[in-house]
């Protein structure tokens, strides 16, 4: 199911001294079953945009079409209950929202809330506990006995357990160690590959290069660009101008180019960089 934003603006605390523009005339269309990276500086509007995907925030003006729903400034929240099952949003630091007495009950909460029986919800919870890389032996522990990284996984399992068609994640890997981060990202990529849409807010340009089909770049509440990772990382001057980084492989390739060894086209991932260097040295490229 495609996602379409038409001239969406959002204003926080309108007509008060605290009025603040969150989104400014944002329009785009996403194809089905893609992995989308959403990037931009702090305060650029990423989290505000994310909260529109499941109508936690409704546009101040403009409209959104997704998952068979049309969301306008006047759409009633009660009309959006089915949307919440199809589109789910994992906030930054979701571990802060755990509340059940056991890990299993916490993961099963979402599926139960969306109409699965207790037995089905438990089964799904066990399945997703394993999928996020946690041992079954912690199922009956209190989530508060776990490490921060484990709690994060429990919170994410709780959202994935009811298998939303569109999974939105706001910096889900922030603060995780590199191994934990990779495992998470691989899990989201596999989720996309099994026929879902994944929308991921990240500051990590390697994640963008390694996983994303499309990139949305936000700046001051506006959508600056909607393009592909290879397009965005091709233009170093543009990235610099907007204070955005490059993937490690591109950064390295740029330094090679400055030192007289240009690799064309520019590699975005370590895997491509390695292959290109091997080809260069072995094949006399
Ligand atoms: N609850 C809020 N009340 C008022 N302004 C907010 C609120 N949340 C975000 N903003 C403002 O909206 C703009 C976009 O913020 P946000 O969407 O959180 O950006 P990002 O997630 O990219 O850091 C910023 O100017 C921010 O200060
Ligand atoms: Mg944010």
């Amino acid at each position: 199911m495609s996602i379409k934003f038409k001239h969406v603006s959002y204003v926080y605390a309108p007509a008060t001294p605290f009025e603040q523009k969150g989104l400014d005339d944002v329009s785009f269309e996403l194809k089905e079953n893609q992995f989308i990276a959403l990037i931009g500086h702090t305060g650029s509007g990423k989290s505000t945009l994310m909260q529109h995907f499941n109508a936690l925030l409704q546009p101040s003006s403009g409209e959104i079409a997704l998952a068979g729903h049309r969301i306008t400034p006047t759409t009633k929240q009660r009309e959006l209950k089915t949307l919440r099952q199809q589109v789910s949003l994992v906030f930054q630091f979701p571990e802060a929202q755990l509340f059940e007495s056991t890990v299993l009950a916490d993961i099963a909460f979402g599926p139960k809330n969306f109409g699965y029986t207790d037995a089905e919800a438990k089964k799904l919870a066990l399945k997703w506990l394993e999928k996020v890389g946690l041992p079954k032996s912690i199922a009956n522990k209190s989530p508060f006995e776990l490490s921060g990284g484990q709690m994060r996984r429990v919170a994410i399992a709780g959202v994935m357990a009811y298998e939303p068609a569109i999974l939105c994640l706001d910096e889900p890997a922030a603060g995780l160690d590199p191994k934990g981060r990779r495992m998470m990202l691989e899990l989201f990529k596999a989720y996309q590959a099994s026929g879902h849409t994944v929308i991921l807010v990240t500051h990590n340009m390697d994640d963008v290069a390694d996983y994303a089909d499309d990139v949305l770049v936000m700046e001051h509440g506006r959508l600056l660009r909607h393009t592909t990772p290879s397009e965005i990382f091709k233009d170093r001057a543009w990235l610099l101008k907007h204070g955005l980084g490059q993937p490690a492989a591109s950064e390295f390739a740029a330094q090679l180019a400055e030192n007289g060894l240009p690799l064309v086209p520019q590699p975005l991932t370590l895997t491509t960089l390695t292959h290109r260097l091997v080809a260069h040295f072995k094949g006399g490229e």
Side-chain angles (χ1 to χ4, degrees), residues 77-117:
Q77 280 289 323
R78 68 183 138 74
E79 294 165 32
L80 298 167
K81 188 160 179 352
T82 54
L83 176 79
R84 297 271 152 72
Q85 183 166 7
Q86 294 161 300
V87 187
S88 62
L89 171 60
V90 178
F91 288 95
Q92 278 171 279
F93 305 107
E95 56 274 27
Q97 287 159 38
L98 299 175
F99 64 97
E100 290 279 0
S101 56
T102 68
V103 166
L104 201 67
D106 226 309
I107 304 176
F109 178 83
K112 272 207 303 218
N113 193 30
F114 289 121
Y116 288 92
T117 64

Side-chain angles (χ1 to χ4, degrees), residues 129-180:
L129 181 69
E130 284 206 293
K131 279 202 176 234
V132 297
L134 293 169
K136 274 192 173 151
S137 58
I138 67 161
N140 293 313
K141 279 195 178 177
S142 159
F144 305 102
E145 288 173 54
L146 308 179
S147 72
Q150 288 176 321
M151 285 169 77
R152 174 89 52 96
R153 290 183 202 199
V154 169
I156 288 173
V159 168
M160 297 183 80
Y162 53 89
E163 302 189 16
I166 302 171
L167 177 65
C168 306
L169 303 136
D170 200 343
E171 297 192 53
L176 296 184
D177 58 60
K179 199 169 148 226

Side-chain angles (χ1 to χ4, degrees), residues 12 22-23 37-53 89 92 169-171 199-203 216-222:
Y12 286 102
L23 293 180
L38 175 53
I39 65 173
H41 286 227
T42 303
S44 61
K46 303 181 299 296
S47 294
T48 307
L49 179 60
M50 289 297 262
Q51 290 171 75
H52 280 75
F53 286 113
L89 171 60
Q92 278 171 279
L169 303 136
D170 200 343
E171 297 192 53
I199 305 173
L200 175 90
V201 172
T202 182
H203 281 108
L216 298 170
V217 188
M218 297 295 295
E219 190 177 78
H220 303 310
R222 295 181 148 265

Side-chain angles (χ1 to χ4, degrees), residues 112-126:
K112 272 207 303 218
N113 193 30
F114 289 121
Y116 288 92
T117 64
D118 283 3
E120 285 165 344
K122 196 176 158 197
K123 209 171 146 201
L124 282 172
L126 277 172

